[in-house]
Amino acid sequence: MVVDCILLIVGIALLIKGADFFVSGASEIAKALKIPPLVIGLTLVSMGTSMPEASVSVIGAINGMNDMSVGNVVGSNIFNTLLIIGVSALITPIVIGKDVKIYDIPAMLGMYAVLLVFSFAISPYRLETFEAVILLLTFAAYTAFLIIRARKDAAAKAPSAKALPLSPCERFKPPLSRSMLFVIAGLLGIVLGGDFVVDGASSLAKAWGMSESLVGLTIVAAGTSLPELVTSAVASVKKENDIAVGNVIGSNIFNVVFILGLSSAISAPTLAATALVDVLVMLGAGVALAAVALLCKKVGRLAGAAFTAMYFGYLAYIIVRN
């Protein structure tokens, strides 16, 4: 059991550092290719911080651990919305931008609703291959929409932009070969870390009498969501509200349409009866965030405390349920 715990901790560390390397390298390559910074933030940052979840879910699907794959995605999204937004708002109140309210939060809720219909209405307690393909196509469409939106925003701001002298740090462009090495090293860390986490978590689940679903919803979900937690907390301290909220919402969308879509395409999961409650909690957390965004000018400390309390209440419920 000690070896399994060490394996789990080392795996999570590899996932986090691997994601950090991947984001750094990918961002440098994107800048070298003159991809707009907004596109980098909306896609690479949220996708990069979700790489740990992707690794764990895909490897879990390959190894036939579908409960862990689904639990990891749903648990991570609940953790992201309730605990990360909650903690970030406790640090400093978060103002949610107009575009996020109009486009991204509704998109997230729409994708949650699609997952609910697929998993419990069209093919009850199962995600079929054709549904996984639809999720992947939805991811491609949403990414294309982000790029189009970013280009329009960049074009609108271009006339008023003033050319400022670049600092020595800004003038420095790292070699493309170094950026490629960062991406490769990051991907290796993510894959190896995901393998360690799946092996360690599944062994601990058996040793402690826990279900794979519970391990996915708690230990694995919290561990793989650490990059989002660190990113949003630091952004909140720096009062970068768009990053704090956008990182969470972008990661939530990526988790459902890409990670769950890809892992389900590899191995169609059969969901446990309790999964309906978990997906409804995920949807409810999203609705709560949407309500606060629409009714209030910001996610204040009171809302942050309520979100944090709701997460720990849910955590207590699933532990008792197991």
Side-chain angles (χ1 to χ4, degrees), residues 89-105:
L90 284 172
I91 293 170
T92 185
I94 300 171
V95 178
I96 300 177
K98 184 180 177 182
D99 280 1
V100 174
K101 292 179 186 179
I102 294 173
Y103 300 116
D104 302 305
I105 292 179

Side-chain angles (χ1 to χ4, degrees), residues 31-32 34 168-176:
K31 288 173 184 175
K34 296 183 179 178
C169 289
E170 289 172 323
R171 284 197 295 268
F172 172 72
K173 293 182 180 180
L176 206 58

